[in-house]
Amino acid sequence: MKKLLSASLAILLLFCAVPRVSAVGAEPSARAYALYCVNNGELLLSENPDERLPIASTTKIMTTLLTLEEAEKDNRVVEFTDEMSAEGSSMYLKPGEQVRLYDLAVGMMMQSGNDAANAAAISIAGSAEKFADLMNRKAEEIGMKNTHFVTPSGLDDEAHYSTARDMALLMAYALNNNSFRTLTEQKHMTVHFVKPDGKRVTYPNHNRLLSLYDSCIGGKTGYTMTAGRCLVTAAERDGLTLVAVTLDDRDDWDDHIALYDYGFENYAAYIPGKTSDFRVPVVGGTSEEAAVYAQVNEGIVIPRDRVKDIQTTVIMPPFLYAPTQGESAVGRVLYTLDGEKIGESPLLIADSIAYNSRRRGFFEYITDVLNL
């Protein structure tokens, strides 16, 4: 009986030791994760994507975004004060030192500076509390439905939380800001202080994935005892842009790599190029035909092995009447897969064609039409 019990226990322990298996191999160790496709706005993989959890310093994606938006309007000089001080990670600002607003964004994204986050918040809104209101308004604008911000830095607070899905939405939105996109992809940046004059400090980026994964284009780390290791990153390859989010994950670097490998191996962005192969006759114009092109599509995301099966259908009128306006739509190109529409691109006239003011008789006009 003891031998049977021991054997049963051994089998049970062996079974428990086997990691869960998912589409990416071993299941990511995160409490919640999401692999989000920026091109089509869909989750490709996820686990507990809507569970509200602490997000630590990944909060600074939002703080940095708002700081950069303000800096584009007024990149003012900010003097660091005692009330801007914060515990935890820091860009080591001292009271009386002065930097520009943009440099505070650098300190947040590179060094994860809590002092930089507080300084930006107080400079922009007057207090961290009022700045949190701006953060929550922006979250609502983005469509983050399960997020509430309390601090600009991400230090623990029971009322400060987000989800894997919402953080993916935030990162995707932030990438549309050119200043943010450029900043988040840097491996290190140098801040030139306004005061003391001549002081320069180079800050390394804590996001190791920029070095570990060639396709990584940015992201933000985060950690507190309560939140665990949090990581939000983005990667881009052949027109396909993905965002990976892991919350409370002891193996975040490897999990992000595995998620991206799965995404890029299994999905592709079909991006029809700008085509000018189409020409359409023009009646009554200074030119007898107009060049028409298909506007570049941002990318239709499909399983990688189905790209060859996409069907293209051109829909446009047999002729146009002058005058025509350049860049105006005159038709569309439909893209279908297995008979289902998966996308379309508008057909635009390349150049304007003026009306031919030369007086023409009725029979000449009819002849022109028949010649089409």
Side-chain angles (χ1 to χ4, degrees), residues 36-97:
Y36 176 82
C37 178
V38 176
N39 302 63
N40 62 11
E42 295 182 3
L43 289 183
L44 303 182
L45 286 174
S46 66
E47 178 76 19
N48 302 323
D50 298 313
E51 182 179 358
R52 295 177 175 182
L53 294 169
I55 55 173
S57 283
T58 61
T59 296
K60 295 187 180 81
I61 296 173
M62 175 65 86
T63 307
T64 298
L65 176 63
L66 293 177
T67 300
L68 291 173
E69 289 180 346
E70 182 67 20
E72 287 173 5
K73 296 180 289 186
D74 178 17
N75 190 24
R76 56 185 172 273
V77 174
V78 178
E79 182 170 331
F80 193 75
T81 62
D82 287 329
E83 68 172 333
M84 297 173 179
S85 299
E87 62 183 72
S89 55
S90 174
M91 66 179 292
Y92 306 108
L93 295 171
K94 300 175 183 177
E97 291 186 329

Side-chain angles (χ1 to χ4, degrees), residues 237 260-267 304-305:
R237 186 183 300 172
Y260 286 133
D261 282 347
Y262 168 83
F264 290 127
E265 288 171 7
N266 289 279
Y267 293 91
R304 181 169 290 277
D305 60 359

Side-chain angles (χ1 to χ4, degrees), residues 7 14 54 71 89 99 109 141 158 174 182 201 272 312 344 369:
L14 179 63
S89 55
V99 295
M109 290 303 293
E141 176 188 332
E158 289 185 359
T182 299
V201 179
T312 301
E344 68 176 66
V369 173

Side-chain angles (χ1 to χ4, degrees), residues 34-204:
L35 179 64
Y36 176 82
C37 178
V38 176
N39 302 63
N40 62 11
E42 295 182 3
L43 289 183
L44 303 182
L45 286 174
S46 66
E47 178 76 19
N48 302 323
D50 298 313
E51 182 179 358
R52 295 177 175 182
L53 294 169
I55 55 173
S57 283
T58 61
T59 296
K60 295 187 180 81
I61 296 173
M62 175 65 86
T63 307
T64 298
L65 176 63
L66 293 177
T67 300
L68 291 173
E69 289 180 346
E70 182 67 20
E72 287 173 5
K73 296 180 289 186
D74 178 17
N75 190 24
R76 56 185 172 273
V77 174
V78 178
E79 182 170 331
F80 193 75
T81 62
D82 287 329
E83 68 172 333
M84 297 173 179
S85 299
E87 62 183 72
S89 55
S90 174
M91 66 179 292
Y92 306 108
L93 295 171
K94 300 175 183 177
E97 291 186 329
Q98 297 178 352
V99 295
R100 293 199 173 272
L101 199 56
Y102 178 86
D103 295 321
L104 296 175
V106 172
M108 283 184 271
M109 290 303 293
M110 298 296 113
Q111 195 72 8
S112 196
N114 293 339
D115 52 353
N118 279 356
I122 293 171
S123 173
I124 292 170
S127 69
E129 293 75 19
K130 290 181 180 178
F131 187 79
D133 291 337
L134 298 180
M135 298 171 76
N136 289 317
R137 281 183 224 158
K138 178 64 78 171
E140 184 176 359
E141 176 188 332
I142 294 171
M144 301 169 69
K145 297 180 179 179
N146 289 289
T147 296
H148 187 258
F149 293 109
V150 175
T151 71
S153 62
L155 290 175
D156 293 327
D157 188 294
E158 289 185 359
H160 187 99
Y161 55 80
S162 188
T163 68
R165 186 195 304 270
D166 279 2
M167 292 306 292
L169 291 176
L170 172 59
M171 186 64 183
Y173 181 92
L175 288 173
N176 290 320
N177 182 294
N178 290 331
S179 295
F180 180 92
R181 190 182 182 101
T182 299
L183 176 56
T184 193
E185 68 184 2
Q186 304 303 314
K187 293 182 179 180
H188 53 80
M189 288 197 72
T190 299
V191 170
H192 298 253
F193 282 64
V194 175
K195 182 180 179 181
D197 184 28
K199 180 178 179 179
R200 298 182 181 183
V201 179
T202 298
Y203 298 100

